[in-house]
């Protein structure tokens, strides 16, 4: 039997001297070659391999300080970007004063013996009148060759003028608006308070100097009147000035002649609308493509002087069986043509004595004089109505149309 604790076959002995067959012998040279070398501190510094220690500043890990510094840097950069981005447009401290646009309206009723013009179907509605030589539509709104002002560059001036021309065209020359649609492009160019004023006037017109639809736009009751010719003749001049530092004042004085038809009788006639706008534009407004309307003065003829004209223009038509009238002579000796004999251009005559009373308490004070505007259609003569000085009125002002238009 084998000894206790030995394998059944007995202990395995290797060589003749009894050594284990797997025993490895390490000689002295091998041992010396295998001596481990602990690098010194300088060696560790050179190799970059050293024990990592967590640095602390006032008991706080240094990595925390670095994270805080990085966060503060990001915040400073963001604040700086917002600050300089807000100043990039160069907006001055002055901003155009707020408030509703004042809408002054005058209706001219034909005097005794004055018969509105009857147009023959298919005939040129402007033939034989000064409007025959006017431009069609938007091209009739002339812009000045203004280069720059003290605080506005030439591109900024041009941008402001185009913004104004877009507004005028959208409210006066859009066939959809003539039939009652909203002039969305014009409305969106107004600041929020005047946008609400315009929309309220279109949806719920009132015969006053703030909420009348026809104080803003040219439109007719589509159930009774249609515009016979979409080629509206326009003669409008535009002036620009900078009476207040950082604010442009743009005035447009324009005449718009429409050929309209009564749906029940089929009678055609000409309908003339003379408007004077006063716009204020500052640099924030230019940046946002927005303007402010200070006031709009409107003279419409021939038109019934009724409160209903606050919602739609109400052209007066001649009798259906009346003979066609000759076109008016714009160069009358009395100088009552649209531009009068002074400059020889003439326009449909519309003169008379205003019967409405303008309340002085309703006048909107003008902080600065209006720039000179060349009147292109007559106003009621001998009346206190002056579109360049008048600031307010209550309801429609009635006048007398002294000659056919």
């Amino acid at each position: 039997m084998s000894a206790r604790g030995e394998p059944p076959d007995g202990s395995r002995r290797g060589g003749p001297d009894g050594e284990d067959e797997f025993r490895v012998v390490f000689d002295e040279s091998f041992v010396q070659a295998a001596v481990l070398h602990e690098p010194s501190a300088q060696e560790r510094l050179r190799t970059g391999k050293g024990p990592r220690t967590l640095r602390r500043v006032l008991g706080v890990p240094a990595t925390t300080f670095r994270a805080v510094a990085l966060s503060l840097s990001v915040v400073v950069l963001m604040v700086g970007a917002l600050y300089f981005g807000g100043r990039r447009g160069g907006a001055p401290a002055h901003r155009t004063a707020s408030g509703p646009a004042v809408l002054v309206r005058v209706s001219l009723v034909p005097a005794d013996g004055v018969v509105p013009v009857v147009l023959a179907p298919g005939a040129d509605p402007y033939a034989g009148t000064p409007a025959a030589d006017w431009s069609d539509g938007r091209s009739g709104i002339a812009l000045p060759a203004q280069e720059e002002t003290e605080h506005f560059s030439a591109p900024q001036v041009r941008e402001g003028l185009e913004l104004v021309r877009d507004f005028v065209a959208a409210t006066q020359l859009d066939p959809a608006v003539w039939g009652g649609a909203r002039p969305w492009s014009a409305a969106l160019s107004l600041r929020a308070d005047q946008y609400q004023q315009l929309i309220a006037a279109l949806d719920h017109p009132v015969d006053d100097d703030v909420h009348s639809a026809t104080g803003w736009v040219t439109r007719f009751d589509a159930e009774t009147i249609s515009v016979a010719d979409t080629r509206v003749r326009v003669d409008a001049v535009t002036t620009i000035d900078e009476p207040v530092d950082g604010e442009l004042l743009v005035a447009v004085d324009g005449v718009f002649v429409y050929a309209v038809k009564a749906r029940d009788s089929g009678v055609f006639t000409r309908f003339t609308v003379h408007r004077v706008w006063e716009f204020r534009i500052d640099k924030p407004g230019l940046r946002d493509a927005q303007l402010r309307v200070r006031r709009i003065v409107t003279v419409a003829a021939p038109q019934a002087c009724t409160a209903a004209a606050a919602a739609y223009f109400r052209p007066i038509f001649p009798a259906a069986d009346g003979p066609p009238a000759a076109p008016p002579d714009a160069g009358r000796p009395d100088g009552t043509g649209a531009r009068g004999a002074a400059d020889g251009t003439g326009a449909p005559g519309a003169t008379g004595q205003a019967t409405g009373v303008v309340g002085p308490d309703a006048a909107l004070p003008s902080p600065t004089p209006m720039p000179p505007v060349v009147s292109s259609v007559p106003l009621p003569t001998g009346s206190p109505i002056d579109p360049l000085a008048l600031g307010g009125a209550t309801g429609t002002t009635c006048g007398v149309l002294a000659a056919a238009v």
Side-chain angles (χ1 to χ4, degrees), residues 12-399:
R12 296 183 180 180
R13 300 292 180 180
D17 55 357
E19 295 292 336
D20 292 339
E21 61 180 339
F22 296 108
R23 177 172 293 180
V24 179
V25 178
F26 298 97
D27 57 13
E28 185 178 356
S29 62
F30 181 85
V31 174
Q32 291 178 352
V35 174
L36 296 177
H37 175 70
E38 178 68 17
S40 65
Q42 291 185 352
E43 289 175 330
R44 286 196 297 267
L45 288 175
R46 285 195 300 268
T47 60
K49 297 178 180 179
R52 298 189 60 185
T53 58
L54 186 62
R55 298 182 60 189
R56 292 177 177 271
V57 179
L58 300 177
V60 179
T63 54
T64 303
F65 278 101
R66 287 195 293 269
V68 172
L70 179 62
S71 300
L72 290 175
S73 300
V74 172
V75 171
V76 170
L77 289 174
M78 292 179 63
V79 171
L82 291 175
Y83 176 76
F84 289 106
R87 290 176 58 87
R88 182 171 57 87
H94 171 81
R95 188 174 179 91
T96 301
S98 60
V102 178
L103 312 174
V104 182
R105 293 171 298 117
V106 179
S107 293
L108 298 183
V109 181
D112 292 340
V114 176
V115 179
V117 175
V118 179
L119 301 176
D124 182 356
Y126 312 112
T129 71
D133 298 326
W134 295 356
S135 299
D136 292 336
R138 180 188 175 92
S139 59
I141 307 172
L143 300 182
Q146 182 102 16
E147 293 297 329
E148 61 184 12
T149 64
E150 184 176 357
H151 298 91
F152 290 84
S153 64
Q156 288 175 324
V157 169
R158 177 58 55 176
E159 182 180 356
L161 290 172
E162 290 293 347
L163 190 63
V164 165
R165 181 157 62 175
D166 290 343
F167 182 92
V168 173
T171 55
Q172 311 303 308
L173 303 175
D174 187 346
V177 174
W178 300 338
R182 291 179 175 180
W184 284 116
S185 61
L188 294 175
S189 68
L190 296 172
R191 295 195 183 159
D193 58 332
Q194 291 196 345
Y195 169 87
Q196 296 295 337
Q197 180 189 359
L198 171 58
I199 297 302
L202 296 176
D203 293 346
H204 306 287
V206 178
D207 186 29
D208 61 18
D209 58 357
V210 176
H211 305 98
S212 58
T214 52
W216 287 97
V217 304
T218 293
R219 70 176 188 175
F220 307 92
D221 187 349
E223 294 184 358
T224 59
I225 298 173
S226 65
V227 179
D229 192 339
T230 57
R231 297 172 303 143
V232 177
R233 295 301 170 91
V234 180
D235 184 21
V237 292
T238 307
T239 60
I240 189 169
D241 193 11
E242 188 183 354
V244 179
D245 290 351
E247 180 180 87
L248 292 175
L249 186 153
V250 183
V252 180
D253 185 357
V255 187
F256 304 81
V257 183
Y258 304 83
V260 295
K261 179 179 73 171
R263 292 189 181 275
D264 55 353
S265 63
V267 174
F268 290 80
T269 192
R270 283 187 295 268
F271 187 73
T272 302
V273 177
H274 172 208
R275 293 191 195 264
V276 178
W277 290 264
E278 182 184 330
F279 299 92
R280 300 298 177 101
I281 308 173
D282 54 24
K283 288 189 176 180
L286 277 181
R287 186 175 60 243
D288 301 333
Q290 290 186 333
L291 48 77
R292 175 167 293 282
V293 180
R294 187 166 180 266
R295 62 178 157 218
I296 306 174
V297 179
T298 303
V299 180
Q303 175 169 248
C305 193
T306 170
Y312 298 98
F313 281 130
R314 308 289 178 177
I316 296 178
F317 290 90
D321 54 355
D329 181 8
R332 294 191 302 274
D334 58 4
T336 55
R339 289 188 184 272
D343 60 8
T345 57
T351 64
Q353 175 69 41
T355 59
V357 178
V358 178
D361 294 338
L364 183 65
S366 177
T368 56
M370 283 282 292
V373 177
V374 180
S375 178
S376 49
V377 155
L379 294 172
T381 59
S383 76
I385 296 177
D386 179 1
L388 305 184
L390 186 64
T394 56
T396 300
T397 300
C398 299

